[in-house]
Amino acid sequence: MEKNHNVSRRQFLTYALLGTGGFMAAGLIMPMVRFGVDPILQADAEEDMIDVVSVDELTDVPQAFDMEYEQDHGWHVEQVQETVWIYLDGDEVVALSPVCTHLGCTVNWGTDPDNPEQFFCPCHFGRFERDGTNIPGTPPTEPLHRYDHEVRDGRVLLGNPSPQV
């Protein structure tokens, strides 16, 4: 005797709702799992340091140096080039981000004829002291960000920029 394998309408709707609900639950859970696991898979911070310049090339006047690194976006790797301002303050190496903290324009050293010993942002006339401190009364509300750095074998290695607070 042959069995009847027909699916009732009630069974079909149950299976369809279970499948749709499972798909939606996976869509919600996968980003949370990725968020929790991703920091474990990151490389050490020490490996993220980028060799930029020899200490012998530095002076007490801020100089612009280019640094290149690969940035992994997950689906592709991009070659990124950034500029950083580096100078010697006594024996200490100071590395400042060229990004204005007002609206993100690029600051330059000594380009304002009225204030040649300051960083100047040409977009909104923001000014910063040599150590990156913002000048009161100008648009920027916080100092230029400083790069984490270390000197190894006479070379300056830079990490990520962080706010000076």
Side-chain angles (χ1 to χ4, degrees):
M1 184 166 186
E2 200 171 297
K3 289 186 172 182
N4 187 2
H5 292 289
N6 289 338
V7 176
S8 70
R9 182 169 33 177
R10 182 177 301 245
Q11 288 175 321
F12 173 77
L13 288 174
T14 301
Y15 295 147
L17 286 174
L18 284 175
T20 303
F23 183 76
M24 291 174 67
L28 291 173
I29 291 172
M30 289 303 293
M32 289 188 262
V33 170
R34 168 98 159 99
F35 181 76
V37 172
D38 194 49
I40 297 169
L41 302 177
Q42 294 293 321
D44 289 340
E46 184 176 317
E47 294 178 14
D48 293 339
M49 301 296 270
I50 300 166
D51 185 350
V52 177
V53 66
S54 171
V55 175
D56 298 337
E57 298 179 43
L58 299 179
T59 64
D60 59 347
V61 176
Q63 296 173 287
F65 293 97
D66 291 330
M67 64 178 193
E68 292 185 20
Y69 58 93
E70 290 183 347
Q71 187 168 26
D72 187 0
H73 294 287
W75 57 92
H76 78 282
V77 177
E78 179 182 21
Q79 189 73 21
V80 177
Q81 182 175 358
E82 289 184 10
T83 301
V84 60
W85 289 98
I86 306 176
Y87 68 95
L88 287 174
D89 186 16
D91 291 336
E92 182 187 356
V93 174
V94 178
L96 297 171
S97 170
V99 179
C100 180
T101 55
H102 177 229
L103 290 178
C105 295
T106 301
V107 299
N108 289 303
W109 173 257
T111 54
D112 181 15
D114 296 332
N115 302 291
E117 296 294 316
Q118 294 178 348
F119 288 101
F120 179 66
C121 177
C123 296
H124 301 99
F125 308 114
R127 293 184 294 143
F128 299 88
E129 296 285 353
R130 185 170 171 252
D131 64 353
T133 305
N134 54 312
I135 305 287
T138 61
T141 57
E142 65 177 295
L144 293 174
H145 294 184
R146 277 187 186 226
Y147 280 88
D148 298 329
H149 70 277
E150 65 181 55
V151 177
R152 192 181 316 156
D153 299 328
R155 304 284 303 172
V156 176
L157 306 175
L158 298 181
N160 294 320
S162 55
Q164 299 185 52
V165 185

